[in-house]
Amino acid sequence: MHDAGAPARAGAATLVTWLVASVLVVGAIVGTTWLLTGDGLRSPAGASPTPAAGPSGSAVTEPDGEASEASAAGPTEPPGDDPAPAPPDPPVVALTGTGSGRCLDVPGANFADGVTLQIFDCNGSVAQQWTVTPAGELRISGTKCLDDASGGANGAAVAIRECHGGDSQRWSAPGDGTVRGIATGLCLDVEAAGTENGSGVNVYECHLGPNQLWTIG
């Protein structure tokens, strides 16, 4: 007597075999396509990879050997010494005669070499603005200096001349109110103790009279 269930079981086995084979074929096709077109493991679309952290929490070296920005920055350099401040500009002053209350003045603001000086009402003009330099010069108009060319002769008029750095253009203020020439030791003096506008200025042996006393400032 024949077994009637055998053909049915064979048909079922054949169907399962075909299904398994189909699944394997489809899987093989999908895997081959991924290998040909993919770049390996990728982060989800739109996400940035997160660098791994080393033992101390800082970013580790990137695969190409360059350190990350956090580790590449060197130690902060200490700030350098501040540059030395520039020396102050020499003071600009007026010389006011004690006896007259008037200022040492270049007549008519004429700054030509050899122009002799006078006293005149203090007005703050360029004809009365003297710059005291570290060398002891009394400069005016930038390049002209108060000059004593007397050679030591009493009563010689003082004038302005181009600055040359010689002793005849250097002056001292010893603190007694006088202004004295370095070359001669004579004092800046208002001629004949004059007090009026236009009175001439000369050098004379120091006697500390009011016509030889000056306020500088």
Side-chain angles (χ1 to χ4, degrees):
M1 186 173 182
H2 296 286
D3 186 355
R9 287 194 297 271
T14 299
L15 179 61
V16 170
T17 299
W18 276 104
L19 288 173
V20 171
S22 298
V23 169
L24 291 175
V25 169
V26 172
I29 292 172
V30 171
T32 301
T33 302
W34 181 85
L35 289 173
L36 292 175
T37 62
D39 295 327
L41 292 175
R42 287 187 286 182
S43 301
S48 299
T50 302
S56 63
S58 60
V60 297
T61 304
E62 300 295 336
D64 60 2
E66 295 182 359
S68 66
E69 288 187 12
S71 60
T76 302
E77 293 294 333
D81 295 335
D82 292 335
D89 292 334
V92 177
V93 299
L95 277 73
T96 307
T98 299
S100 66
R102 292 183 165 86
C103 285
L104 184 65
D105 181 277
V106 179
N110 178 4
F111 300 112
D113 275 5
V115 172
T116 58
L117 304 187
Q118 64 178 3
I119 56 171
F120 201 84
D121 289 337
C122 298
N123 52 38
S125 70
V126 293
Q128 298 178 358
Q129 294 177 6
W130 300 88
T131 298
V132 181
T133 74
E137 299 165 321
L138 284 167
R139 288 190 175 227
I140 197 162
S141 187
T143 61
K144 304 296 181 178
C145 282
L146 179 63
D147 186 278
D148 169 17
S150 69
N154 276 335
V158 292
I160 56 168
R161 291 185 176 85
E162 192 74 17
C163 297
H164 53 64
D167 282 350
S168 66
Q169 296 182 348
R170 297 175 60 217
W171 302 83
S172 69
D176 58 3
T178 62
V179 176
R180 304 186 183 215
I182 295 295
T184 65
L186 299 179
C187 280
L188 193 64
D189 176 284
V190 180
E191 185 177 0
T195 59
E196 300 300 318
N197 280 338
S199 298
V201 179
N202 57 19
V203 288
Y204 204 89
E205 185 177 347
C206 298
H207 53 67
L208 304 186
N211 61 319
Q212 291 187 347
L213 303 182
W214 304 84
T215 299
I216 303 174

